[in-house]
Amino acid sequence: MSSQPAAPSKPRIIPSLARLMPYVRPYLPRLLAGVGAALVGSLLALAIPLVLRALVDGPLTHGDRDAVWPAAIAVLALGLAEALCIFLRRFFVLQPSTYVEASMRRDLYARLQQLPVAFHDRWQSGQLLSRAVQDLGQLRRFLAFGSVLFVVNLMTLLVGVGVLLWWSPLLGGLFVLLSLPIVVVAFRFEQTYHQVSRRAQDQAGDLATTVEQSVHGIRVLKAFGRGRHALDGFTSQASELRSTEIAKARQDASLWMWLTIIPFVSYAVCLFVGVWLVTVDQLTVGQLLAFFATAVVLNWPIESMGFLYAFAIDAANASVRFHEVVDTENTIDDPERPATIAEPRGRLTFEGVRFRYQDAPADERDLVDGADLVLEPGETMALVGSTGSGKTTLTALPARLYDVTGGRVLLDGVDVRDLTREELRTHVAMAFEDATLFSRSVRDNVLLGVPGADDEVLDEALRIAQASFVHDLPDGIETVIGEEGLSLSGGQRQRLALARAVAAKPAVLVLDDPLSALDVDTEAQVEAALRQVLAETTALIVAHRPSTVQLADRVALMREGRIDDVGTHSELLARNEHYRFVLSSLEEAERNREVNL
Amino acid sequence: MSVHGVSGEDRDDYTKEESREIRLRSRRLLLQLVRPHVRRITWTMLLVVISAGAGVVGPAIIAYGVDTALPAILDRQDWLPLWGATIAYVVSAVAAGVLMYVYTVSSARISQAVLFSLRRRLFDHTQRLSLEFHEQYTSGRIIARQTSDLESIRDLLDQGLNELVRGILFMAFTGVAMVLLDPISGLVLGIALVPAIILTRWFQVRSTVLFRETRTTSARMIVYFVETMTGIRAVKAFRTERRNDDEFGDRVEDYRVANHKVISIFGVYEPGIIALGATSIAAIVLLGGIRVIDGTLEVGVLLATALYARQFFQPIQGIAMFFNGYQSASAALEKISGVLEEQPTVPEPVEPTALEAAKGRIDFDEVRFAYATGGDVLPALDLHIPAGQTVALVGTTGAGKTTLAKLLARFYDPTEGAVRLDGADLRDLSNDDLRRAVVMVTQEAYLFSGTVAENIALGKPDATRAEIEAAARAVGAHDFVSALPDGYDTDVNKRGGRVSSGQRQLLSFARAFLADPAVLILDEATASLDIPSERLVQEALQTLLADRTAIIIAHRLSTVAIADRVLVMEHGRVIEDDAPAALIAAGGRFADLHRAWRESLV
């Protein structure tokens, strides 16, 4: 059920994490200060038992009453200093980590809004969401805890090994040598873990997609009673994720196991060799004890390397997933030196326009296959054609929801790709057949394209779209309509979407079958009102019905991706058989049927 | 105000009782989730204890090696103790490692099993909840519950249990050892526990509120994200990117602040506990030192208690982290348990009436319907449709046509009266029976990601490829499907990106055709079709509807023509009811509509 466009290639941990640098750089001093505090803290933690021992063995044993208070105060001071270091580490590191997370999240969102519709067609929204929420959360935690601990524990480890070598080069060397298999284990771990980790992240994204679809498609699932079916699908996906997570835990566990066994076996060998060295007078008992006292301190840093390593791989994968989206080339971008149209008149020209999806097979004809069409300023053009002839695709081109793959679309003689998207979409407004409403007030939804507009514009638009029903809603035009306007009927949603396009007062209005869900009466009223608007506005209207065609000055007939014929409704009826087939045959069928009634 | 279910979910000003109620609810859910795994949890914890024990043996063996094995060699040339110590060490190392492997995998199994059952339960429950719920509770919130809230619970399950068990055991053992060794020092520890408990209580109260805030703000952020991505075309067409950036940025910032607040109070709590530990160690050294000098305490004992006290406070960091995770997960469980507490307003009957093969007789008996927000949509509807009849519903928007259809499909239950199928109240039918008998096709033809074939097969999950193709052929969808890159195996992708809305409607017709119900409801199901497609569909309908009951809502009167009977509705009442020809002849409302439509065709 899932489609994942990007093939995950094996990421390298350091380069993947290094790509986060631009976000981290501003906070680098604080992060370093955090590492510093953490280092001091762990040194204190190491020192406190030694100091305790020294105090008890020294002044207190000698019965020096005056030494008791200073000793206690010294212990207190060290302990409080440790607490302070922990406080400082958190203080230095945690706030920056939340800032990094937030700014990455904002950038990802902004990038997603910029990326073309074709990108969103390809990518499932659950995958996008899991990147924006889970992955970035993971990165924040790595930054706040993982990276600092990693640095601190690594340094502790290096220092500790140095001390071991200092106590006894022979034993220390032996310990290092015996611990070398860890490198092999770690290497093998990385090979397999990064794949499972990535798979878990991807599967979590797919699961989010399924959840989203199950809610968005709830009416269909309910209508067919397919809740159980959907649950089965979800269950199998969730159990896949579960298996992946358990596989991940196995990898983790086996790394930890080796990280326990290898050093401990090394200690055992060191114990044997150490004792032997003492017997042959190569080592003193004191040195042997000191060696092991230090070795015990290293247990935790070694153990922690296991989960920190896994943590780092997770974070590297999260970074890769983030960059997969952010690095996607925006194929519909603003030109470097944008043209501008000072006084838009609304002349819309399609010149040999072609469009095909990038991944369409080579032998398939272009969806829009060389369409030529001119809309004069103020003209209303109906676009008629059978299902799949490319009408909707053609309407998406003027506002650059998709870019042509051949030919060009001109607005007042300027190629639409030479305008900024902001300007272009101010001139061209659209109403889609499946009316998308946002969970905002009716007012905000209608004035989406002209946020600053006053009530006059709003009322006018609502009047034209015959959407006066909004005044009967609980809070009138301030009513927050449900997400996707779910609590409104299809016809109501369509009228609000139409009102929105009208309110934008564009030079060119593109309407994709905007009246399909309206009843005949309402449709007639909307049409009457629309006529005034259309008198001054260039409009391209996808029409399935003769009644909608009536709105138009001329009709363009689309057939297999081309403009087959252009003329008035009656001209086309008279001369074009395909047009009659598309538009009027029903009428005839109707007549025949009525004879039978 | 109530906090039952999801109501009051966004509030942050719960009273004490409300807060308690919610917390209890969340704790109940946690217990329910954990209960099936009690045995596994028990033996996993046992492994943790043994493994910790094996880890502790290490230093003792080293001590043995130096204190006993070394003299044995020096004095008697006896190498056996050293061999013994070395082998024991190796064995304990391997045992500790293997045990660690086993309990890590085992606790991952537990945590994944809990997550799996919670996910499934939540999914199942949201599917069961009525449309009324879904119309108010945005999809983004359900997604937030399923993703980021579950993530919090996962964090708790993953990170903590081992640490908690180890920590508590360690503290308990050390504590007991201290009391045995030196009761006075033990008393100091006991006294130190008082401020520790107070500090913990403070953290609990504060963090409960703050963690709730993180859940609410993260859900608000997710809702906005999902809505933008779902409506990306409109976002682009109306240039709301910048405004969205601001608005989303605000929500990201709210979430960040909420997160930061939680982290900050933990940043006070954790060092606070450590400082308490430091203070009590200092007190033990002070009291012990004085007693050593007075000669009432051995130096060795003082050293031991001081080191023990230090050890006593070491695992407390881990325990604090666990507690932090617990607080976070509780907040998430509070929200999830709220959703689970919601009851479907259209519940399944406990003892359903069996309906083997439905005939399709429909009765609306004195049905009144009003939305919870008030206002009768259907004041009193009495309608009887014999099996096999095709009925068209006509009337302006808001006349109650869709409501009637939704009552029949049992998306809602009537406020008064009953809707019956073959004489059985719909409320007494099992969901399976009802859905097999009654299918509704709406204007909104949603496609799920997957192939075209899978989407059609939604009408009948066990359908063969031949049946799927036959259904597509019957509604005239076969030609365009065959023309798709991979035919029936083409992925329709997100929201049917590649399929036009007319084509989507054809596919949803094919779905209905495949489902083969006794009662078919078509709510504006042909609105997006072009005329040739609509004609095909109508021809298909002629055969499709021949032996079943059908309710057709259509603005296009062309569809109405195939009906046996037309109901004209206005303000929730049926004002005309007869065969179409008879109505046209009678010259009422329908005749007017019909004339208007005739004119619109030219």
Side-chain angles (χ1 to χ4, degrees), chain B residues 452-479:
Chain B
V452 170
E454 281 168 0
N455 266 289
I456 298 176
L458 205 72
K460 186 183 174 194
D462 55 352
T464 63
R465 178 52 67 93
E467 286 178 296
I468 291 173
E469 285 185 25
R473 239 184 220 108
V475 299
H478 179 74
D479 287 349

Side-chain angles (χ1 to χ4, degrees), chain A residues 219-234:
Chain A
R219 283 152 194 261
V220 175
L221 291 175
K222 283 215 179 285
F224 286 89
R226 291 289 171 258
R228 181 105 26 97
H229 181 67
L231 179 64
D232 289 346
F234 178 81

Side-chain angles (χ1 to χ4, degrees), chain A residues 139-462:
Chain A
L139 276 174
R140 166 173 59 80
R141 286 196 297 270
F142 177 72
L143 207 60
F145 300 102
S147 64
V148 174
L149 266 185
F150 199 83
V151 173
V152 170
N153 288 0
L154 198 66
M155 288 174 97
T156 317
L157 202 57
L158 291 177
V159 171
V161 170
V163 172
L164 287 185
L165 286 168
W166 183 69
W167 283 123
S168 164
L170 204 62
L171 270 190
L174 186 65
F175 178 72
V176 171
L177 199 68
L178 287 169
S179 299
L180 276 183
I182 287 181
V183 178
V184 180
V185 170
F187 181 74
R188 281 191 22 218
F189 172 74
E190 194 195 328
Q191 295 294 311
T192 44
Y193 184 82
H194 89 90
Q195 283 175 351
V196 213
S197 151
R198 170 72 201 226
R199 196 168 356 128
Q201 287 165 339
D202 288 345
Q203 284 175 345
D206 287 343
L207 207 61
T209 305
T210 304
V211 171
E212 185 189 323
Q213 294 197 334
S214 78
V215 197
H216 282 152
I218 187 82
R219 283 152 194 261
V220 175
L221 291 175
K222 283 215 179 285
F224 286 89
R226 291 289 171 258
R228 181 105 26 97
H229 181 67
L231 179 64
D232 289 346
F234 178 81
T235 304
S236 75
Q237 270 186 308
S239 70
E240 272 173 34
L241 176 62
R242 174 167 73 165
S243 315
T244 310
E245 289 288 356
I246 291 175
K248 213 170 115 182
R250 276 216 187 85
Q251 300 281 343
D252 264 342
S254 99
L255 178 66
W256 294 342
M257 181 179 78
W258 288 116
L259 282 179
T260 308
I261 292 178
I262 295 174
F264 275 78
V265 170
S266 309
Y267 290 152
V269 176
C270 286
L271 175 68
F272 190 91
V273 175
V275 171
W276 173 71
L277 283 174
V278 174
T279 61
V280 295
D281 283 336
Q282 292 291 317
L283 200 71
T284 67
V285 176
Q287 281 170 325
L288 185 63
L289 281 176
F291 177 86
F292 278 107
T294 313
V296 167
V297 175
L298 294 184
N299 283 351
W300 158 243
I302 294 177
E303 245 178 70
S304 72
M305 281 298 147
F307 78 79
L308 289 174
Y309 198 30
F311 207 165
I313 294 174
D314 286 340
N317 275 333
S319 165
V320 169
R321 275 166 53 92
F322 170 81
H323 285 104
E324 273 168 9
V325 170
V326 176
D327 291 347
T328 306
E329 190 198 350
N330 186 2
T331 49
I332 300 188
D333 208 349
D334 286 339
E336 264 174 47
R337 259 167 302 185
T340 181
I341 300 173
E343 280 176 39
R345 300 172 52 243
R347 186 170 199 274
L348 187 65
T349 317
F350 295 84
E351 276 184 12
V353 166
R354 295 177 168 277
F355 178 81
R356 65 186 291 118
Y357 287 107
Q358 270 182 335
D359 52 355
D363 58 337
E364 201 180 271
R365 79 161 166 80
D366 287 359
L367 225 56
V368 177
D369 199 13
D372 293 294
L373 185 64
V374 180
L375 279 74
E376 295 300 336
E379 186 179 34
T380 300
M381 179 79 76
L383 192 59
V384 172
S386 58
T387 296
S389 58
K391 306 184 298 284
T392 298
T393 312
L394 192 73
T395 57
L397 299 176
R400 290 188 77 199
L401 290 185
Y402 296 94
D403 259 349
V404 296
T405 48
R408 51 188 193 153
V409 181
L410 304 173
L411 179 61
D412 290 337
V414 181
D415 190 320
V416 291
R417 287 169 295 186
D418 292 338
L419 296 166
T420 62
R421 285 166 297 166
E422 178 76 22
E423 180 179 345
L424 174 65
R425 290 167 188 168
T426 313
H427 299 324
V428 181
M430 303 185 72
F432 307 94
E433 207 231 337
D434 47 352
T436 312
L437 300 179
F438 296 97
S439 36
R440 304 177 185 189
S441 64
V442 169
R443 173 200 297 277
D444 288 351
N445 265 294
V446 173
L447 298 182
L448 200 66
V450 275
D454 52 21
D455 279 4
E456 220 166 292
V457 178
L458 177 72
D459 291 341
E460 172 80 0
L462 289 173

Side-chain angles (χ1 to χ4, degrees), chain B residues 194-204 268-274 276:
Chain B
V194 176
I197 289 169
I198 293 173
L199 190 62
T200 303
R201 181 75 195 146
W202 165 83
F203 174 71
Q204 188 191 7
V268 172
Y269 175 65
E270 192 194 18
I273 290 277
I274 290 170
L276 264 178

